[in-house]
Amino acid sequence: MRLKDKIALVTGGARGIGFATASAFLKEGATVVIADINQQGAEEAARRLDPHLKHVKALAVNVADPQSIAAMMDAIVSDYGRLDLLLNNAGVGGNIPFLETSLEDWNRIIGINLTGAFLVAQAAAREMVKSGGGKIVNIASLSGQRGGNGRSAYGAAKAGLELLTKVMAVELSPHHINVNAIAPGAIETEMAKFAHDEATRKAYHYLIPMDRYGVPSEIADAAVFLCSDEARYLQGHTLNVDGGFLAAGLMFGPNKQLPNT
Ligand SMILES: NC(=O)c1ccc[n+]([C@@H]2O[C@H](COP(=O)([O-])OP(=O)(O)OC[C@H]3O[C@@H](n4cnc5c(N)ncnc54)[C@H](O)[C@@H]3O)[C@@H](O)[C@H]2O)c1
């Protein structure tokens, strides 16, 4: 029960990494607000985790819309009086070649993945300042650390979120708020099913030393750690949970054939 009695907000919690983390937070004793643009999905997710909705609440939010975020925060504060933990997770995939990325594509992906994350983090941090502290975990991506095919807008948004994590860590330290990020590698979720074609999957298998995709619970476990007291001296850090992708250099051997061999 590492998160006993904490009030936690998980954006994009209706499915995937967000849902797995909401489930892990609940098991660790937190009360969890699942907020998602898919309101029905959020409600179904909440009931799946807690059929009587005693420790889980579902809310609708569009993280790209400041008014929607304000309404979400009002609902949380009116129900619980404070917010202790934020998993800043809502996001959309993007796999569009640079030369074909329209301004509309760019603005949509940046608007949700970077501006949306900024707006939610700011609203959450303002509440945490009032109550004397908290923990924020931003969900970045390996795509924000390496130049991958089709990841211009998505990668730029996630790289920006990693830097924002550092600035927030600096400015929020005096308020006893820990701000860290997780950079997931390739994780088997609906988003990956949409964004990863066969060529992408083959390339990932080659580039991941552990030679497999991760599963959402592996990100959730890292998020629990970062939100627990055990991580109290971690600040402004990005934790890669990626099967070794970032660490890898020259790789060869029986399980490391180049994709086209
Ligand atoms: N799956 C991966 O391989 C992977 C890798 C690196 C980073 N990530 C990041 O992890 C996070 C979760 O990804 P996932 O794979 O679980 O994706 P997913 O598509 O399965 O889930 C994303 C959730 O966010 C919600 N959402 C989308 N736009 C929203 C908005 N504007 N407002 C509120 N909610 C919104 C969706 O409805 C959905 O429930 C994202 O930030 C993603 O960029 C995923």
Side-chain angles (χ1 to χ4, degrees):
M1 298 294 265
R2 286 181 287 171
L3 309 180
K4 193 165 173 1
D5 299 331
K6 300 291 184 194
I7 308 298
L9 167 62
V10 177
T11 64
R15 68 182 198 188
I17 289 168
F19 178 74
T21 306
S23 170
F25 281 4
L26 184 69
K27 283 192 193 116
E28 295 288 342
T31 291
V32 185
V33 177
I34 291 178
D36 204 288
I37 199 164
N38 176 358
Q39 183 170 4
Q40 194 187 335
E43 282 164 8
E44 286 168 7
R47 286 205 183 274
R48 229 178 308 149
L49 291 180
D50 182 7
H52 302 296
L53 300 180
K54 269 184 77 181
H55 296 289
V56 182
K57 181 186 177 70
L59 287 175
V61 72
N62 176 3
V63 300
D65 173 4
Q67 285 179 345
S68 172
I69 293 169
M72 169 185 73
M73 289 308 302
D74 284 351
I76 292 169
V77 173
S78 111
D79 276 12
Y80 305 110
R82 64 176 209 282
L83 179 65
D84 302 310
L85 314 173
L86 166 65
L87 187 85
N88 204 6
N89 165 77
V92 287
N95 189 5
I96 312 166
F98 170 71
L99 291 176
E100 290 159 30
T101 299
S102 66
L103 179 59
E104 196 190 0
D105 295 328
W106 176 270
N107 284 340
R108 183 178 57 83
I109 293 167
I110 298 279
I112 296 169
N113 292 358
L114 180 56
T115 311
F118 156 72
L119 291 168
V120 172
Q122 188 184 56
R126 284 175 175 160
E127 287 308 321
M128 291 174 184
V129 167
K130 285 186 212 158
S131 59
K135 293 194 190 292
I136 295 175
V137 176
N138 294 321
I139 299 297
S141 173
L142 202 59
S143 298
Q145 303 170 334
R146 288 285 183 270
N149 267 107
R151 304 295 197 274
S152 51
Y154 183 80
K158 294 298 191 180
L161 185 55
E162 245 190 77
L163 196 280
L164 179 63
T165 301
K166 294 183 173 131
V167 175
M168 287 171 63
V170 167
E171 294 194 14
L172 298 176
S173 282
H175 299 287
H176 311 290
I177 300 170
N178 293 75
V179 187
N180 292 290
I182 294 174
I187 307 299
E188 201 63 83
T189 66
E190 293 303 313
M191 179 186 284
K193 279 183 196 130
F194 157 78
H196 297 186
D197 58 15
E198 266 318 298
T200 307
R201 285 183 175 271
K202 225 171 164 187
Y204 265 128
H205 274 274
Y206 173 68
L207 291 165
I208 299 167
M210 290 178 72
D211 201 16
R212 69 167 174 86
Y213 273 47
V215 293
S217 64
E218 290 171 322
I219 306 301
D221 288 342
V224 167
F225 165 65
L226 288 176
C227 285
S228 75
D229 193 50
E230 291 156 30
R232 63 194 169 277
Y233 201 55
L234 266 92
Q235 188 64 306
H237 183 73
T238 295
L239 179 59
N240 274 62
V241 183
D242 63 6
F245 184 113
L246 186 67
L250 184 62
M251 284 192 287
F252 51 83
N255 66 339
K256 285 295 164 204
Q257 301 303 317
L258 283 163
N260 62 354
T261 57

